[in-house]
Amino acid sequence: MQLTVLRKGIRIFVAGLALQRHARTLLALCLCVTPALAGVLPDDRTDALYHRYQGGGITIQGPSVLIQKKITDNFALNYNFYQDYITSASIDVKLSASPYKEKRTQHSGGFQYLHGKSTYSAGIISGSEPDYKANTSYYSVSQDMFGDLTTVSLGYRRGWDNVYRDIKDVATGRLENDPTFHQQADHRGYSLALSQILTRNAILNLNYEAITDQGYLGSPYRKIRYSDPTVPGKGFTLADQIYPGTRTSSAASGTLKYFLPYRAAVSGQYRYFRDTWGIVGHTVELGYTQPALGHWIFDGSVRFYRQNAASFYSDLFPRANYSNFMARDRELAAFHSLTLGVGASYEFHVPSAPWINKSSLNIHYSRMIIDYSDFRNALYAGQDGFTAGNEPLYQLNASILQAFVSIWF
């Protein structure tokens, strides 16, 4: 129940507030592994991660394990297992459904092939949960040039999603797929990246991505609300959302990293996003990294994001069947968010295991505050003098914890 929508919203906030669901299936892999630059295969390593998100009445937590291994000097494989356990009693669930618990499992595998100064990569990602099946394939090629000071990368991915709807079986009380509901969605993404060493202390990264979505892009659970004076107390009635069947979005970003004389580093990033649904988003992020005490590395970051609402979004529609497309998904609302993050990494050795070259323990904590400009807490309607459309604006506070151990061998 509503796992598709709620998990989708969380991953948007965690991963950048502008990605689509099929793109976010890469998150588990990205949490543990840094993409290899052209001309360099990733080191042999294993990562074991625990992640936890808590906020807005939702808790998502689970493990992830990554293994990457060079088979030859030119060929490497990787595999990732990622799992979510979700418990929800969020504002969306309380308005139109009931609290629930569900699990999502994801497997992914891929390879990198190094030929001269070119690196070719490909892989597949498969995720499943009771009411959603997602499969993605991805391909990329990177090329070093100009004395290895410049790296250009091209990428393509294709996603196929199958959307179901859970209903409660009257006889058993269990949730089962509704046999009358089955939708599909197709996603394609194209990316271009440039990494440029400017000086011995400065690196510039530029990225552009275009995404096309087609098919069922909404949710079978989330509802709109429209004004209805005949409903005592609340003053509104719920109805199904109606989404367009296509969406095209693009994002461009630039990141500058500068290494300071005392071994520290600072970074700054700006990202611009827009789509054919009328959403325009801006992200600004600053980061600082400081090695200390021999084996420790500390880092901190601050990120600000702002977007306007989709053209067919409304917190409260004036009447039923107001327009061809209607949504009350808070991902499509106007809001701004502030995320503060701190992290630490400790490198250590295991004398009793000579086959381990090095290992590290990493932990990162983020606090996120999201203020909505036009999404109201409809649970207040009919209480304390609040009427439909005049309830308090909703605010979401969330904590995000990531902890993992890395072993290089």
Side-chain angles (χ1 to χ4, degrees), residues 24-47:
R24 288 194 303 277
T25 56
L26 294 171
L27 176 61
L29 193 61
C30 295
L31 287 174
C32 296
V33 61
T34 302
L37 295 176
V40 180
L41 288 178
D43 294 329
D44 296 344
R45 65 184 285 182
T46 297
D47 290 34

Side-chain angles (χ1 to χ4, degrees), residues 44-272:
D44 296 344
R45 65 184 285 182
T46 297
D47 290 34
L49 173 139
Y50 169 79
H51 65 278
R52 179 182 175 87
Y53 169 98
Q54 187 169 23
I58 305 169
T59 299
I60 296 180
Q61 58 186 330
S64 179
V65 177
L66 169 74
I67 301 174
Q68 54 187 33
K69 173 65 177 177
K70 284 186 287 187
I71 307 302
T72 68
D73 291 339
N74 302 91
F75 188 77
L77 297 174
N78 64 72
Y79 168 76
N80 178 239
F81 169 81
Y82 183 85
Q83 199 164 64
D84 280 339
Y85 297 89
I86 181 169
T87 302
S88 179
S90 69
I91 180 176
D92 308 289
V93 169
K94 292 179 180 179
L95 185 64
S96 59
S98 58
Y100 64 89
K101 295 181 180 180
E102 286 194 10
K103 180 178 72 174
R104 176 178 182 267
T105 301
Q106 177 178 289
H107 299 271
S108 62
F111 72 88
Q112 294 92 25
Y113 173 69
L114 175 64
H115 180 71
K117 294 183 178 297
S118 301
T119 302
Y120 303 89
S121 304
I124 56 174
I125 304 170
S126 179
S128 65
E129 54 197 77
D131 56 358
Y132 209 103
K133 312 296 181 185
N135 294 285
T136 302
S137 62
Y138 62 90
Y139 318 87
S140 68
V141 57
S142 299
Q143 176 70 45
D144 280 350
M145 56 186 66
F146 305 127
D148 296 339
L149 298 178
T150 304
T151 301
V152 178
S153 302
L154 296 173
Y156 170 75
R157 66 172 178 269
R158 177 78 182 273
W160 303 266
D161 295 353
N162 285 278
V163 186
Y164 305 91
R165 178 172 59 196
D166 284 346
I167 57 175
K168 183 175 290 187
D169 184 271
V170 177
T172 65
R174 297 178 180 177
L175 291 176
E176 297 181 355
N177 288 155
D178 182 352
T180 66
F181 184 92
H182 177 208
Q183 301 288 340
Q184 295 179 316
D186 181 272
H187 314 280
R188 306 186 187 202
Y190 311 84
S191 63
L192 171 64
L194 171 69
S195 178
Q196 178 66 51
I197 298 177
L198 301 177
T199 69
R200 59 180 297 179
N201 295 323
I203 299 177
L204 176 67
N205 293 301
L206 301 175
N207 296 275
Y208 176 79
E209 183 177 36
I211 300 172
T212 62
D213 305 307
Q214 185 174 5
Y216 186 80
L217 306 180
S219 163
Y221 303 116
R222 188 166 299 227
K223 305 290 185 179
I224 65 164
R225 62 174 186 158
Y226 61 87
S227 181
D228 188 351
T230 65
V231 178
K234 291 185 176 181
F236 65 83
T237 295
L238 298 178
D240 292 336
Q241 295 189 122
I242 305 174
Y243 271 57
T246 60
R247 183 182 189 183
T248 301
S249 57
S250 60
S253 66
T255 302
L256 178 65
K257 296 183 179 181
Y258 186 80
F259 298 90
L260 301 171
Y262 49 94
R263 299 179 60 228
V266 294
S267 64
Q269 181 188 72
Y270 171 74
R271 184 174 186 271
Y272 175 80

Side-chain angles (χ1 to χ4, degrees), residues 260 262 264-267 286-290 298-301:
L260 301 171
Y262 49 94
V266 294
S267 64
L286 299 175
Y288 181 81
T289 302
Q290 177 65 67
F298 300 94
D299 64 84
S301 63

